[in-house]
């Protein structure tokens, strides 16, 4: 069993700003991932 | 974040140069496991695996609607109207879509299996499979990682590979002209979103043409990614992996660049968004002629490494610095991830930063 751990914290605001630079709309459904718990992505594991 | 750098990275990937990404977030947590690989090699392969997973996801969407339907690439049932519109570009489109999809599956599976075989962490993005995708006939209706319905395409590869005087690695500020300027603004769907999108034959052809240009736009990215990353591989076996997968992306790119040249000229307005797109006749001025005719699908020789050396027919760009973050910016600016949450972008940037930090020998 392997998993990749996120090792840096990037705030939603920083990502929103980055998306603006790329001329892209911000994310729209973070609640699907973290249940609306703001910047806390819980386990955040992306491994199986 | 250094404003401007990341946006420039996206713009120049399309134009052919990857800006050097800044290491914005200095604070480090626990490192991923690299097993018996060097951390750098593991990071290079992990980023490649992530890119291949994302590629696989959108190729599956294309295959479900417009590819050959068989047990080798199962899932969809085909959309006859969309498939027919794609075949206007080439009668073999369905076969090529199927085979490109199959290729990407094998890339993602192999890269993760290799990482696991070396005791290194692998990549799995299933947590982010939340996007709805198409509901048109033929779609499996599965949730997706990527969004093919709001694309903004940089088609400057069309002129980059036909230029004999400019190489993005040597001319970072040169702006290669777009083949289809209207695809570079606004958001365009490359698949029928619903069956309503298949009712107007002109708009459906515009959707198929958009796909026809999306295919080479994507594959030219992989075409540059692999040789760029390979320059920083440590172990010869990792180098072998990168230089063996990379040229298949090149084969895809050249095939698709040939088909894109067959996209019939037209103008259409998206009935849902009101966005207009015009596909020009690429065999007429300002294109066409000896330099730009559509059947010129082999790379025009261009300056390489130094203008003091003779021109050389090459993949470009292959600048290695910042390549992974440049690809993330490129794909994000394309709109491929519209709808994904911050954690998704955070992960991609994390993987890219690690890959960009890889150096030969560590």
């Amino acid at each position: 069993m392997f998993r990749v751990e996120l090792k840096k914290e990037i705030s939603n605001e920083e990502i929103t700003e980055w998306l603006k630079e790329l001329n892209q709309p911000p994310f729209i459904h973070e609640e699907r991932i973290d249940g609306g718990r703001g910047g806390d992505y819980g386990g955040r594991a992306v491994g199986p | 974040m250094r404003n401007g750098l990341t946006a420039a990275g996206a713009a120049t990937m399309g134009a052919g140069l990857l800006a050097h990404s800044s290491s914005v977030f200095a604070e480090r947590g626990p490192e991923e496991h690299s097993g018996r690989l060097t951390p750098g090699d593991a990071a290079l392969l992990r980023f490649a695996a992530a890119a291949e997973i994302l590629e696989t996801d959108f190729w599956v969407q294309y295959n479900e609607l417009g590819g050959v339907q068989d047990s080798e690439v199962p899932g969809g049932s085909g959309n006859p109207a969309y498939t027919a519109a794609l075949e206007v570009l080439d009668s073999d489109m369905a076969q090529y879509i199927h085979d490109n999809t199959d290729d990407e599956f094998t890339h993602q599976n192999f890269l993760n299996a290799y990482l696991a075989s070396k005791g290194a962490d692998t990549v799995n993005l299933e947590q982010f499979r939340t996007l709805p995708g198409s509901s048109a006939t033929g779609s499996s209706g599965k949730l997706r990682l990527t969004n093919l319905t709001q694309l903004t395409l940089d088609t400057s590869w069309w002129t980059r590979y036909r230029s004999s005087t400019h190489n993005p690695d040597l001319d970072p500020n040169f702006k290669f002209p777009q083949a289809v300027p209207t695809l570079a603004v606004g958001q365009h769907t490359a698949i029928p979103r619903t069956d309503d999108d298949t009712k107007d034959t002109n708009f459906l052809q515009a959707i198929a043409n958009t796909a026809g240009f999306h295919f080479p736009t994507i594959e030219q990215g992989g075409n540059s990614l692999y040789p760029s990353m390979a320059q920083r591989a440590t172990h010869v076996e990792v180098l072998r992996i990168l230089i063996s997968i990379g040229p298949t992306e090149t084969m895809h790119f050249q095939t698709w660049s040939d088909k894109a040249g067959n996209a019939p000229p037209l103008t259409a307005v998206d009935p849902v968004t009101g966005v207009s797109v015009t596909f020009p006749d690429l065999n007429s001025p300002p294109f066409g002629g000896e330099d730009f005719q559509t059947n010129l699908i082999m790379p025009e020789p261009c300056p390489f490494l130094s203008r003091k050396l003779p021109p050389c027919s090459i993949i470009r760009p292959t600048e290695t610095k910042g390549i992974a973050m440049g690809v993330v910016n490129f794909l994000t600016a394309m709109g491929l991830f519209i709808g994904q949450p911050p954690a998704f972008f955070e992960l991609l940037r994390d993987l890219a930063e690690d890959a960009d930090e890889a150096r030969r020998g560590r």
Side-chain angles (χ1 to χ4, degrees):
Chain A
M1 185 76 72
F2 303 98
R3 47 187 270 164
V4 173
E5 295 282 357
L6 292 175
K7 63 187 183 187
K8 309 174 192 72
E9 289 295 337
I10 305 176
S11 70
N12 290 1
E13 290 71 24
E14 285 174 300
I15 291 178
T16 301
E17 193 62 30
W18 170 63
L19 289 170
K20 282 182 189 169
E21 289 182 34
L22 297 174
N23 196 29
Q24 292 299 303
F27 42 85
I28 57 175
H29 65 250
E30 64 185 277
E31 68 280 0
R32 294 185 189 177
I33 298 298
D34 66 3
R37 286 178 287 116
D40 175 12
Y41 300 105
R44 293 179 307 166
V46 292
Chain B
M1 184 174 295
R2 296 176 194 170
N3 288 337
L5 277 181
T6 51
T12 52
M13 178 62 198
L17 180 75
L18 296 157
H20 309 160
S21 62
S22 56
S23 183
V24 181
F25 306 98
E27 189 172 321
R28 296 283 163 180
E31 292 289 334
E32 291 88 359
H33 297 112
S34 57
R36 295 183 293 285
L37 298 171
T38 66
D41 278 356
L44 290 171
L45 295 180
R46 250 193 307 270
F47 183 77
E52 297 289 355
I53 289 168
L54 295 166
E55 265 197 293
T56 302
D57 179 79
F58 70 73
W59 275 112
V60 164
Q61 295 183 60
Y62 282 127
N63 193 68
E64 288 182 4
L65 296 165
V68 171
Q69 307 301 319
D70 64 13
S71 59
E72 195 172 39
V73 186
S77 54
N79 185 297
Y82 180 59
T83 304
L86 286 165
E87 287 181 349
V88 170
L89 279 65
D90 189 287
S91 60
D92 288 325
M93 289 292 274
Q95 186 67 56
Y96 295 152
I97 288 169
H98 170 281
D99 290 356
N100 205 140
T101 308
D102 191 28
D103 288 358
E104 308 304 352
F105 262 119
T106 67
H107 291 167
Q108 70 159 46
N109 291 342
F110 179 88
L111 287 163
N112 261 344
Y114 182 81
L115 283 161
S117 76
K118 299 295 182 184
D121 287 341
T122 57
V123 180
N124 185 324
L125 301 177
E126 289 305 301
Q127 173 182 357
F128 300 107
R129 188 172 294 284
T130 58
L131 305 181
S134 171
S135 65
T137 297
S139 170
S140 68
K142 290 185 222 167
L143 294 174
R144 316 292 184 177
L145 295 168
T146 58
N147 184 341
L148 293 176
T149 66
Q150 293 174 268
L151 298 177
T152 303
L153 299 183
D154 183 338
T155 57
S156 61
W157 51 266
W158 183 270
T159 57
R160 188 197 327 148
Y161 274 97
R162 286 172 168 79
S163 172
S164 61
T165 53
H166 295 286
N167 176 337
D169 286 335
L170 295 177
D171 308 302
N173 296 318
F174 181 75
K175 192 170 181 180
F176 292 91
Q178 299 285 327
V180 187
T182 50
L183 281 180
V185 293
Q187 296 179 344
H188 309 270
T189 186
I191 53 174
R193 294 159 294 200
T194 66
D195 282 335
D196 284 348
D197 282 343
T198 65
K199 290 175 180 167
D200 177 334
T201 54
N202 187 58
F203 180 57
L204 179 59
Q205 191 60 56
I207 294 174
N209 285 6
T210 300
F213 273 90
H214 185 225
F215 300 162
T217 300
I218 280 285
E219 299 298 321
Q220 64 83 29
N223 176 49
S224 282
L225 172 65
Y226 279 92
S228 299
M229 291 202 300
Q231 295 167 56
R232 283 180 287 108
T234 295
H235 196 287
V236 70
E237 193 167 75
V238 173
L239 176 64
R240 183 177 182 181
I241 291 169
L242 295 172
I243 66 174
S244 298
I245 292 178
T248 67
E249 306 286 346
T250 305
M251 295 168 82
H252 298 159
F253 168 55
Q254 188 175 38
T255 300
W256 293 127
S257 67
D258 188 38
K259 307 315 163 199
N262 298 335
L266 61 81
T267 293
V269 176
D270 187 326
V272 175
T273 65
V275 172
S276 177
V277 63
T278 296
F279 292 90
D281 179 354
L282 293 170
N283 282 315
S284 296
F287 294 129
E290 195 174 329
D291 291 334
F292 290 105
Q293 62 191 47
T294 54
N295 65 350
L296 295 177
I297 60 165
M298 296 195 186
E300 183 72 11
C302 72
F304 182 39
L305 299 179
S306 166
R307 292 188 183 280
K308 294 176 182 174
L309 294 166
C312 191
S313 181
I314 50 159
I315 301 305
R316 63 266 208 182
T318 52
E319 165 58 49
T320 189
K321 195 169 182 183
I323 176 69
M325 191 62 79
V327 165
V328 169
N329 291 343
F330 170 64
L331 297 176
T332 303
M334 181 185 290
L336 200 58
F337 308 135
I338 290 175
Q340 284 289 6
F344 174 85
F345 297 108
E346 187 177 351
L347 173 65
L348 283 193
R349 292 171 59 98
D350 187 30
L351 292 169
E353 285 187 7
D354 286 352
D356 285 339
E357 287 171 7
R359 297 291 182 273
R360 290 189 68 189
R362 57 192 165 96

